[in-house]
């Protein structure tokens, strides 16, 4: 039975390669998806593109896959980072999942003056990004970085990367986005918005483009999806 089950594995993929399965992966493939020996699935690791693989051994606590052939090359998303201030857990999970589906190359939780969360579970958020890539057919998995203070991130800002600073106080500003596709980042603030000190610093950055997402105040998770949509349709790979 051929299935379109796609599985992310953290190991090199190549012809004739065998992939040992963890207990969780075996449970998903053989328990949940009811696959068995001889079935074909699709594998990707975020580096080598997508590969077909046959189930060589299927068991309750493990199994082995035999890699067959590359089905798709690695398709990199645009060089776009999403910086966002973590909000409530479920909504933060949502932002990470949508950013991975919508083509962010890196997802960076940032702590701002009004951010409530002190820490994020980076491993859990990374797992959400992997699941989103499995579901959306992506061959690349965005890195979810650990929570970092926004002012630190700005202190070490890489030359040449532009910043789409989504400011709810910037009614009518900033669209359409100008400038080349090159390296960009989107910044979404927390429920409490940006502090005046942050807004002053951000407005003084020559690489920052202050953008309005319309006349209404969006929830941070809504704003993340809206900003990703705007950027992708104007400068990204949705054109
Ligand atoms: N404290 C703000 C207020 O009540 O006015 C609300 C902040 S909003 C919930 C969270 C973030 O989403 C903002 O910091 C901004 O980055 C983004 N955002 C929400 N609505 C926006 C809009 N209309 N234009 C631009 N950015 C927006």
């Amino acid at each position: 039975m051929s299935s379109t089950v796609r599985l992310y594995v953290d190991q090199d993929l190549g012809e004739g390669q065998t992939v040992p399965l963890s207990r969780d992966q075996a449970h998903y493939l053989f328990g949940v998806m009811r696959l068995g020996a001889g079935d074909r699935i699709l594998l990707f690791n975020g580096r080598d593109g997508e590969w077909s693989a046959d189930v060589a051994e299927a068991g309750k606590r493990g199994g082995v896959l035999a890699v067959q052939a590359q089905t798709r090359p690695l398709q990199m998303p645009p060089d776009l980072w999403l910086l966002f201030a973590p909000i409530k857990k479920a909504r933060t999970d949502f932002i990470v999942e949508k950013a991975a589906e919508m083509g962010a190359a890196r997802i960076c939780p940032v702590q701002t003056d009004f951010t409530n969360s002190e820490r994020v579970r980076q491993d859990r958020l990374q797992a959400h990004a992997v699941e989103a890539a499995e579901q959306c057919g992506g061959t690349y998995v965005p890195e979810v970085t650990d929570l970092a203070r926004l002012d630190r991130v700005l202190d070490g800002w890489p030359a040449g990367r532009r910043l789409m600073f989504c400011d709810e106080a910037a009614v009518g500003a900033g669209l359409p986005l100008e400038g080349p596709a090159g390296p960009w980042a989107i910044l979404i603030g927390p429920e409490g918005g940006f502090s005046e000190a942050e807004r002053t610093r951000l407005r003084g950055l020559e690489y920052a483009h202050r953008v309005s997402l319309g006349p209404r105040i969006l929830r941070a998770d809504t704003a993340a999806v809206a900003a990703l949509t705007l950027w992708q349709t104007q400068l990204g790979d949705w054109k």
Side-chain angles (χ1 to χ4, degrees):
M1 175 186 88
S2 78
S3 80
T4 53
V5 170
R6 299 184 79 248
L7 185 72
Y8 170 83
V9 289
D10 187 9
Q11 80 154 68
D12 294 342
L13 291 173
E15 211 151 323
Q17 188 95 21
T18 54
V19 176
L21 294 171
S22 68
R23 189 191 184 102
D24 289 350
Q25 289 169 326
H27 171 66
Y28 170 64
L29 292 179
F30 312 133
V32 175
M33 301 311 289
R34 319 296 293 160
L35 298 181
D39 282 335
R40 176 150 294 186
I41 70 165
L42 295 171
L43 296 181
F44 67 105
N45 60 9
R47 302 184 299 278
D48 302 326
E50 180 188 84
W51 290 72
S52 60
D54 291 343
V55 176
E57 289 169 37
K60 272 207 181 340
R61 281 181 287 283
V64 176
L65 301 176
V67 179
Q68 302 302 317
Q70 190 182 55
T71 48
R72 283 168 50 213
L74 174 65
Q75 281 150 327
M76 288 299 288
D79 187 357
L80 172 67
W81 298 353
L82 173 71
L83 278 64
F84 73 98
I87 44 181
K88 291 190 182 51
K89 196 170 74 65
R91 289 181 180 275
T92 295
D93 293 351
F94 175 89
I95 290 176
V96 168
E97 186 179 80
K98 297 314 141 200
E101 288 172 56
M102 298 174 76
R106 179 181 281 190
I107 302 167
C108 314
V110 289
Q111 188 158 29
T112 66
D113 291 346
F114 299 155
T115 300
N116 299 327
S117 329
E118 295 297 312
R119 60 184 293 279
V120 295
R121 284 283 311 278
Q122 186 276 339
D123 56 338
R124 245 175 36 77
L125 295 180
Q126 187 66 64
H128 278 293
V130 166
E131 273 168 43
E134 286 175 335
Q135 172 274 327
C136 73
T139 54
Y140 176 78
V141 179
E143 177 197 2
V144 181
T145 57
D146 215 342
L147 184 65
R149 281 207 53 84
L150 176 62
D151 46 15
R152 284 282 161 73
V153 172
L154 295 178
D155 290 345
W157 196 256
R161 186 172 292 274
R162 285 176 171 72
L163 175 63
M164 176 180 170
F165 156 39
C166 296
D167 183 358
E168 67 276 13
V171 183
L175 292 177
L177 285 174
E178 304 299 336
W184 274 82
I186 291 170
L187 172 61
I188 303 290
E191 281 155 351
F194 293 107
S195 67
E196 270 325 298
E198 284 167 340
R199 203 172 255 111
T200 306
R201 176 171 186 185
L202 286 161
R203 293 185 65 169
L205 298 173
E206 51 84 28
Y207 57 78
H209 295 245
R210 190 167 171 248
V211 170
S212 165
L213 299 176
R216 286 166 291 279
I217 299 290
L218 309 176
R219 280 186 179 278
D221 40 341
T222 315
V225 172
L228 283 162
T229 303
L230 267 180
W231 191 90
Q232 280 288 28
T233 45
Q234 292 184 29
L235 295 173
D237 63 7
W238 289 11
K239 286 189 289 193

